[in-house]
Amino acid sequence: MTYGKRPDAAAPVRGIAALCCWALLLVVLLPVLILQSTDARFGAALALQCVVVVHTGAALARVLTDVRARLIAFGFWLFSYVWLGLAPLAMLATDAYPRGFMVDANTAFLTTAVVEAGLLAYSGGSALASWRSARTSVALEPLLARRLSPVRVLLLCGAALLLAVALIPGQGGLSAFFLSRQAANEAAAAAEPAASADRAMAAWLLSVPAFWALVALVHVPRFSAGDRTLRGLRWLLLPLLIAVNVVVNNPISQPRFWAGTVLLALVFSASWLRGPRAFRIGAAAVAAVVLVVFPYSDYFRYDKREAVKVVSLAEQFTSNGDYDAFQQVETGVDYVRTHGFTPTAALGPPLFFVPRAVWPGKPDDAGILLARHAGYTFTNLSAPLWVETYMWAGFPSVIAVFGLIGAVGRRIDHLRHRLRRQRGTLAALVVPAFGFYQLVLLRGSLMAIVGPLALLVCIPLLITRKPGRRVLPPSAQESACAPTSSEHRAASPLPTGGART
């Protein structure tokens, strides 16, 4: 499969053969495989769901064959294709769901329409942003062009290590981070609500700074005629931060979506994966892992671990609670039919930091509301962004939010591509992390993830500065006064083991 160039232009063109192969696999073969393995019951909702599968599969195929590395689009369409495309296809075909709450055919059809409305709005916003991509972005481009500050990165590394020393004992010690998530959830349930919230906040204060400290330390610019002390501190801190991340961000005690975000952000921020060709290979590998490996990656979730039993994709989608996104959207649509829209709930996520003692009418977590409506005793459930926005004001809010997400996401992908050869930029670090954290954001609920998301965004802003005149380290200032070549005055990144693209 070749990616050639137009004879009359230097711009590369998409490989038609590659696009057709991916479309055949995603739009035809996998859906047919799922329908063949089930006793399909056709109806209006299933027919509309086939449209959703074609839409998401074709969009994902376009991203996987694009001539640019589009991480934001990849994260969105991967989630949409698997969790809101293939999984609902199996559920609607068999009328079997991973959780007990069931709805009628009309609600199922309306749910599918809500999902497709959000997808169409996202596609429209993305297309509009692509059409306007030649214009300069007044806000996003200067923001994504910010550069890592070596001194601030070292301060963050020190803060992450101090937080680890101070907070790990309060979380139960090192051994607590290698217990199953079942044991962690039982301990949180046994604690007082306030203590449980404090414990969760402490866990994120451990995880997010440690993650960003490691990523930033790997990519922080170094001076070829630089400070030996700075270089020595970097190599001293690197093994310490790797060890801290192994403890606080391991996939045993941490949610798989977050552990995957940490790993994939480290990998996709490497210089050798910033080019389009390497991105296509890496993205294809991630898509294969999500489809084949993810259903069995909950091995460490429970204390009693049984032998892994390989089943069909259709059975996984209809029996595994990890794929409850569509069913939760159905529950939300039924909730609106009973209780009506709640526009004030849109204030909850941006004002998450306001205590309930100050704001007695603060909206509840959408996942908890849906669990109560369905009569579940377990309330730690997802609330996909589609249903949260639908609960605010119906289709208008869904279209507005997803149109904005599509436009901003396309603009960010475009700017990252433009800045891909510049080292140590905010785009090189934040875009891979947010691209994969999107799966958490889209799965919801917003109230549950907006706190970690704020940390995920704010910390990189604090350790970067506006691009401008470079400040030399102390021991290099004298040598900088003497005539030197431009190569000795330029800053280069800490090698990540790959070639430049």
Side-chain angles (χ1 to χ4, degrees), residues 22-47:
W22 275 113
L24 179 65
L25 174 65
L26 299 174
V27 176
V28 179
L29 295 182
L30 284 178
V32 168
L33 180 65
I34 288 174
L35 291 176
Q36 278 188 341
S37 63
T38 63
D39 185 14
R41 305 174 184 178
F42 289 95
L46 183 59

Side-chain angles (χ1 to χ4, degrees), residues 29-174:
L29 295 182
L30 284 178
V32 168
L33 180 65
I34 288 174
L35 291 176
Q36 278 188 341
S37 63
T38 63
D39 185 14
R41 305 174 184 178
F42 289 95
L46 183 59
L48 185 56
Q49 183 60 33
C50 290
V51 175
V52 173
V53 171
V54 172
H55 186 175
T56 55
L60 183 57
R62 286 180 56 83
V63 172
L64 290 171
T65 56
D66 206 308
V67 295
R68 294 179 177 178
R70 295 174 57 196
L71 270 167
I72 303 297
F74 174 64
F76 179 87
W77 289 116
L78 179 63
F79 178 87
S80 300
Y81 178 70
V82 176
W83 275 265
L84 294 174
L86 294 182
L89 186 70
M91 295 174 194
L92 291 170
T94 60
D95 200 26
Y97 294 85
R99 306 199 185 278
F101 188 77
M102 304 291 287
V103 298
D104 56 30
N106 291 334
T107 304
F109 180 83
L110 181 57
T111 300
T112 311
V114 169
V115 171
E116 179 59 18
L119 298 176
L120 288 172
Y122 183 93
S123 297
S126 178
L128 180 62
S130 177
W131 178 61
R132 297 168 58 91
S133 61
R135 301 188 180 185
T136 302
S137 175
V138 178
L140 281 177
E141 189 164 0
L143 184 67
L144 294 176
R146 290 173 65 92
R147 297 293 189 92
L148 284 171
S149 167
V151 174
R152 297 182 188 181
V153 170
L154 292 177
L155 289 174
L156 174 63
C157 293
L161 293 175
L162 288 176
L163 285 170
V165 172
L167 297 179
I168 285 179
Q171 297 290 101
L174 291 175

Side-chain angles (χ1 to χ4, degrees), residues 446-466:
L446 288 178
M447 288 287 285
I449 59 93
V450 70
L453 179 62
L455 278 175
L456 198 68
V457 172
C458 290
I459 290 178
L461 290 175
L462 293 176
I463 60 174
T464 54
R465 53 182 172 81
K466 294 180 181 179

Side-chain angles (χ1 to χ4, degrees), residues 114-406:
V114 169
V115 171
E116 179 59 18
L119 298 176
L120 288 172
Y122 183 93
S123 297
S126 178
L128 180 62
S130 177
W131 178 61
R132 297 168 58 91
S133 61
R135 301 188 180 185
T136 302
S137 175
V138 178
L140 281 177
E141 189 164 0
L143 184 67
L144 294 176
R146 290 173 65 92
R147 297 293 189 92
L148 284 171
S149 167
V151 174
R152 297 182 188 181
V153 170
L154 292 177
L155 289 174
L156 174 63
C157 293
L161 293 175
L162 288 176
L163 285 170
V165 172
L167 297 179
I168 285 179
Q171 297 290 101
L174 291 175
S175 60
F177 288 88
F178 296 95
L179 297 176
S180 67
R181 287 190 62 202
Q182 178 186 12
N185 290 334
E186 289 174 353
E192 295 292 332
S196 178
D198 292 342
R199 187 183 181 91
M201 182 56 67
W204 285 114
L205 284 174
L206 278 169
S207 299
V208 180
F211 159 66
W212 275 128
L214 179 59
V215 174
L217 191 65
V218 170
H219 294 281
V220 66
R222 63 182 176 88
F223 301 97
S224 54
D227 196 332
R228 292 183 179 179
T229 304
L230 181 63
R231 188 182 301 116
L233 283 173
R234 179 167 37 215
W235 290 111
L236 174 65
L237 291 169
L238 190 61
L240 294 176
L241 287 170
I242 291 174
V244 170
N245 276 274
V246 168
V247 173
V248 302
N249 287 319
N250 70 78
I252 298 175
S253 59
Q254 286 287 352
R256 286 166 294 165
F257 284 100
W258 170 248
T261 297
V262 171
L263 177 61
L264 293 175
L266 283 167
V267 172
F268 278 81
S269 63
S271 60
W272 53 275
L273 265 175
R274 292 177 195 164
R277 179 184 175 86
F279 166 76
R280 289 192 292 266
I281 297 173
V286 171
V289 168
V290 167
L291 280 169
V292 178
V293 179
F294 178 82
Y296 307 100
S297 60
D298 61 349
Y299 179 76
F300 297 103
R301 176 180 289 183
Y302 306 103
D303 292 331
K304 296 180 180 179
R305 293 160 189 160
E306 300 178 355
V308 176
K309 181 182 178 182
V310 179
V311 298
S312 66
L313 274 177
E315 186 175 345
Q316 282 285 359
F317 291 148
T318 56
S319 62
N320 191 334
D322 292 327
Y323 298 102
D324 67 347
F326 182 78
Q327 189 177 16
Q328 287 293 91
V329 180
E330 286 185 324
T331 307
V333 171
D334 189 76
Y335 176 91
V336 169
R337 182 171 294 171
T338 304
H339 302 281
F341 298 115
T342 53
T344 55
L347 299 175
L351 299 176
F352 73 97
F353 53 87
V354 179
R356 292 191 181 274
V358 177
W359 185 8
K362 184 177 180 180
D364 289 326
D365 183 289
I368 296 176
L369 280 179
L370 298 182
R372 290 172 181 167
H373 179 72
Y376 302 143
T377 56
F378 182 66
T379 59
N380 185 20
L381 296 177
S382 64
L385 189 59
W386 283 260
V387 73
E388 287 216 49
T389 52
Y390 180 77
M391 291 167 69
W392 296 345
F395 280 97
S397 55
V398 173
I399 293 171
V401 170
F402 279 90
L404 179 62
I405 292 174

